Amino acid sequence: MTHAVVLGAGIAGLLAARVLADAFDEVTVVERDETVASGPRRGVPQGGHLHGLLDGGRQLLEELYPGVVDELAAAGAPSVEPLRDTRWYIHGRRLAGDTSGMRSVLATRPFLEAALRARALALRGVTLRHATATGLIEQGVDAVDGVVLRDGSLPADLVVDASGRSSRLPTWLARLGHPTPQEQRADVDLGYATRLYRRLPGTAFSGVTVSTVPRFRGGGCVAVEGDRWLVTLAGMLGDHPPTDPAGFAAWAATLPAPDIAAVIADAEPLDDPLPYRFRGSRWRRYDQMRLPTGIIALGDAVCSLNPLYAQGMTLAAQQVRILRTQLTGSTAVDPRAFHRATARVCAAAWGVATRSDLAMPEVDGRRPVWTRLLDDYVRRVQLAAHHDPVVARAFMRVANLTDPPSALLAPRLMVRAVAHGSR
Ligand SMILES: Cc1cc2nc3c(=O)[nH]c(=O)nc-3n(C[C@H](O)[C@H](O)[C@H](O)COP(=O)(O)OP(=O)(O)OC[C@H]3O[C@@H](n4cnc5c(N)ncnc54)[C@H](O)[C@@H]3O)c2cc1C
């Protein structure tokens, strides 16, 4: 009998369970949260805040769990065309256009997670165990054979660490005398505040996103399951939204577009504003070190990104897709090959998040000349997207990780971006 253990039943863990179930006789998902609640839970403190699923991530979820997006929609999560049904403001002005060829499913994070959990636990051989992992078992030389739990232990042929940003894997490796990964950091001191409101039928839009560009304040307001608005306000570099109701509303009124403040003014609040503080992006470079066999890591445990760009769940799904290709026909994964392959998708996502942050002069960091040229071009693309639906569509598809960034460098698009972006 072959056995894989996944640490953490978050998005990365539930997606990893899907591909492990094809390769192993048994898969145990170890999750420290006892209650499988439908609301935010302790182990996922970010769970109460807006979680936009990029179109690239939606496609991967569909690939892993076919029909899951329709299931979410049937259960009440609005399914929309992002350019037509939601309003996007960058540099204070709305993007043009009404077709992107993409689909967004608007759901709270607990709702999405519950759907994935149900799918994972319906797979042959997959079980959930409520326990806290506290270490690794290593009987052979340089080979992990299982995990230590607070209430026992679990032998495993492969351990997958999907325990999120607070992963203790570096400490566990050090305890066994192994090297630990270098950590790359990019600090942004981002503050979130989120509140739910009742949504009455008949609103003209399903969502509004006000980008933090060009200043530090932004926000999102999306229609979610249960006929509710989920409103998240966000501020960078210490400019955090308040969490008292009056301050929350007043802060929303300072955004360069009025739509979110209008929802807050008209709709009935269902809870109090909930805070979250995110110090910065972190990338643990397992790709640059030698790990023992039998252990790999993915999701936020490896790369946890500034959430303003909504890449985290999609990046986790991309890493799981790589795991699937490496597991084809076997249960052995070479940690080095795996982490080197996933480092490529992490690098792309890291680049998007940190380059956008560095475009703000106040953010600390080195800016080589070529990135300044690229930033200038991206700014022109964004400005052109206010007038030109073709540019807006191309920009949105790249931002959603549906098309590669190189799509913005197509000559036809560059001509439009330079012409319209200079207005
Ligand atoms: C404020 C905020 C907003 C975000 N918004 C978005 C967004 O709009 N779009 C997007 O794609 N991403 C967003 N993200 C990122 C997203 O939450 C994560 O990237 C994504 O959920 C993948 O995380 P994960 O599954 O690796 O970890 P998590 O979702 O954090 O799950 C880790 C799990 O491991 C469990 N666990 C931890 N330690 C142990 C242990 N020792 N033993 C057993 N279990 C353990 C935890 O209880 C938890 O269930 C946001 C993040 C933040 C902070």
Side-chain angles (χ1 to χ4, degrees):
M1 285 290 252
T2 53
H3 182 212
V5 168
V6 181
L7 303 181
I11 304 296
L14 294 169
L15 297 180
R18 168 67 189 82
V19 303
L20 293 166
D22 284 343
F24 290 82
D25 299 317
E26 286 181 2
V27 179
T28 307
V29 182
V30 174
E31 169 55 51
R32 70 180 168 192
D33 274 351
E34 274 280 343
T35 48
V36 181
S38 56
R41 54 193 179 82
R42 231 164 59 98
V44 183
Q46 75 271 32
H49 299 276
L50 198 159
H51 265 64
L53 177 62
L54 298 181
D55 186 63
R58 177 194 63 78
Q59 291 182 32
L60 287 174
L61 254 57
E62 274 290 315
E63 206 178 295
L64 293 166
Y65 291 117
V68 72
V69 171
D70 283 341
E71 248 169 60
L72 287 162
S79 168
V80 303
E81 152 63 60
L83 254 182
R84 187 194 58 220
D85 302 326
T86 65
R87 300 175 176 179
W88 294 85
Y89 293 90
I90 301 184
H91 298 283
R93 294 190 58 191
R94 190 170 163 192
L95 298 195
D98 59 6
T99 55
S100 65
M102 301 185 297
R103 181 181 175 195
S104 284
V105 60
L106 308 176
T108 61
R109 154 79 195 239
F111 195 67
L112 174 60
E113 196 183 282
L116 295 179
R117 190 187 310 116
R119 283 299 198 93
L121 297 183
L123 296 169
R124 189 189 49 81
V126 177
T127 51
L128 179 67
R129 174 154 174 185
H130 292 302
T132 301
T134 56
L136 298 173
I137 303 169
E138 190 183 46
Q139 282 162 353
V141 176
D142 278 353
V144 167
D145 310 296
V147 286
V148 183
L149 306 176
R150 193 160 281 160
D151 60 355
S153 61
L154 264 181
D157 301 292
L158 178 69
V159 176
V160 177
D161 178 21
S163 63
R165 185 174 166 93
S166 64
S167 160
R168 306 258 299 138
L169 182 56
T171 309
W172 299 344
L173 288 169
R175 230 188 266 155
L176 294 171
H178 293 290
T180 56
Q182 294 286 325
E183 189 173 281
Q184 220 163 303
R185 291 168 164 248
D187 288 329
V188 287
D189 193 7
L190 173 70
Y192 266 39
T194 295
R195 200 172 193 196
L196 283 161
Y197 295 83
R198 192 178 309 286
R199 183 169 64 94
L200 300 176
T203 33
F205 54 85
S206 301
V208 182
T209 300
V210 183
S211 150
T212 47
V213 175
R215 299 306 301 159
F216 310 144
R217 293 185 174 193
C221 164
V222 288
V224 293
E225 78 281 353
D227 295 323
R228 295 171 299 167
W229 290 114
L230 179 70
V231 178
T232 288
L233 304 178
M236 305 234 316
L237 299 176
D239 183 14
H240 297 170
T243 51
D244 64 290
F248 186 82
W251 203 91
T254 67
L255 295 178
D259 315 52
I260 297 181
V263 168
I264 292 175
D266 290 343
E268 176 197 347
L270 300 173
D271 58 5
D272 287 327
L274 172 79
Y276 188 91
R277 188 166 182 189
F278 180 90
R279 305 271 174 184
S281 302
R282 305 278 181 267
W283 182 6
R284 297 183 182 120
R285 303 301 307 259
Y286 290 109
D287 56 304
Q288 295 177 347
M289 59 174 279
R290 228 181 119 262
L291 274 168
T293 58
I295 174 81
I296 58 168
L298 44 72
D300 279 15
V302 177
C303 190
S304 158
L305 296 163
N306 181 342
L308 285 177
Y309 311 103
Q311 301 184 92
M313 298 190 289
T314 300
L315 181 59
Q318 290 175 331
Q319 290 165 279
V320 168
R321 184 168 52 179
I322 290 169
L323 178 60
R324 178 155 72 179
T325 60
Q326 300 211 350
L327 276 171
T328 310
S330 86
T331 54
V333 180
D334 173 359
R336 186 144 214 184
F338 174 73
H339 289 110
R340 282 189 173 170
T342 55
R344 285 194 276 279
V345 288
C346 293
W350 180 267
V352 168
T354 54
R355 256 203 322 278
S356 305
D357 292 341
L358 285 171
M360 300 182 189
E362 294 82 354
V363 174
D364 268 349
R366 220 169 50 81
R367 296 165 175 80
V369 174
W370 68 269
T371 63
R372 273 183 270 145
L373 290 174
L374 200 62
D375 290 345
D376 184 59
Y377 176 66
V378 170
R379 199 176 60 85
R380 282 168 189 261
V381 168
Q382 292 169 345
L383 295 178
H386 296 142
H387 315 285
D388 186 336
V390 174
V391 179
R393 178 187 164 101
F395 173 70
M396 283 293 284
R397 290 179 66 85
V398 170
N400 269 273
L401 304 183
T402 301
D403 291 342
S406 58
L408 294 181
L409 298 175
R412 192 177 61 94
L413 205 89
M414 287 179 89
V415 170
R416 300 181 87 109
V418 171
H420 289 147
S422 316
R423 274 202 207 172

